[in-house]
Amino acid sequence: MEKNYQSCNFLYPEVISISVPYDSLFVRINKGIVAYGDSANKKFKNTFFPKKSSKEMEPLNLQPGEWVEVRPIDEISLTLDGYKKYKGLFFMPEMEKFCGKKFKVFKIVNIIKLESTGEVRKLKTPSIFLEGVYCDGERHEGCDRSCFHFWKEAWLKRIPDK
C-alpha cells in the first residue's frame, strides 16, 4: 500500500483508505455479522433511529460539561450512509473503541478550518469534542498529533451528571 501522509481531516476519504479498507469493516448485530454502513442501513433501517419526529432523533443541544455515553457501534452504524458518513461526517474506525464509554462534552464545534486549503467552513450541524477523546494515530501510520475526534449528537446519549 502506498504511504499517504495527508493530515487527518474528517472530510477526506483518504483518511479511511489509509486506516482500514471499507470492505473489512463489519458490525455485530443480533449475534450475526453484517456489512458496516450501506448493507446495515438497508437491512436494519430505523431499528434504533426511527423517523425524525421521534424523540430519539431530536437534537440533544449538548453543552460543555454535560456527560454523554457513546452509543454502541451497531446503533451508530445504522446512522451511516453508503459512504460511512452521517451528515457529512465520517465515523472513523478508531472511534469504535470509545463506544459504550462515558465522557464529558468538551466543546461544541460549529466552524472549522481545512488544513489542506485554509478554507473556513461553517458546519450545518454542530459536531462535538469529548474531553480526553483523541485520535491515537494507530490507524494513521502512527500519527502522533492527537487530534480530537468529531462526534455527532446521534452517536451520543445524554446521561445524568456523575
Side-chain angles (χ1 to χ4, degrees):
M1 181 164 91
E2 181 182 313
K3 296 218 182 224
N4 182 345
Y5 292 104
Q6 182 166 345
S7 62
C8 299
N9 191 309
F10 69 97
L11 295 173
Y12 289 102
E14 291 85 4
V15 175
I16 293 291
S17 70
I18 65 167
S19 301
V20 175
Y22 282 116
D23 298 340
S24 69
L25 295 176
F26 294 93
V27 175
R28 298 161 303 283
I29 298 179
N30 297 333
K31 297 183 181 175
I33 297 180
V34 297
Y36 188 86
D38 205 26
S39 299
N41 287 344
K42 288 176 187 167
K43 188 171 181 181
F44 297 98
K45 189 170 177 141
N46 299 328
T47 303
F48 295 98
F49 295 90
K51 296 183 181 173
K52 249 185 176 177
S53 61
S54 118
K55 186 176 182 183
E56 191 79 340
M57 290 301 285
E58 291 176 11
L60 297 175
N61 296 319
L62 294 169
Q63 297 301 313
E66 289 188 82
W67 284 92
V68 294
E69 180 179 341
V70 177
R71 291 183 181 276
I73 188 64
D74 55 346
E75 291 183 27
I76 291 171
S77 71
L78 297 174
T79 67
L80 304 176
D81 64 17
Y83 300 103
K84 310 336 178 225
K85 293 180 181 181
Y86 175 72
K87 295 190 176 185
L89 180 65
F90 282 113
F91 183 82
M92 305 299 283
E94 54 270 11
M95 294 165 71
E96 185 175 349
K97 69 181 168 189
F98 298 106
C99 290
K101 296 182 181 171
K102 296 172 174 85
F103 302 97
K104 256 187 186 178
V105 173
F106 174 66
K107 186 173 181 146
I108 309 304
V109 182
N110 291 299
I111 299 171
I112 61 166
K113 182 175 183 178
L114 300 179
E115 290 182 2
S116 59
T117 64
E119 177 186 355
V120 175
R121 289 191 183 172
K122 183 171 177 26
L123 303 178
K124 291 180 182 178
T125 59
S127 291
I128 312 294
F129 286 164
L130 301 176
E131 212 171 87
V133 178
Y134 305 96
C135 179
D136 61 9
E138 187 176 300
R139 296 190 182 180
H140 291 297
E141 306 290 328
C143 174
D144 62 358
R145 293 183 58 198
S146 300
C147 301
F148 278 104
H149 287 298
F150 285 74
W151 299 89
K152 289 295 185 186
E153 285 188 348
W155 301 339
L156 308 171
K157 295 185 229 182
R158 178 183 273 120
I159 57 173
D161 289 339
K162 283 188 156 187

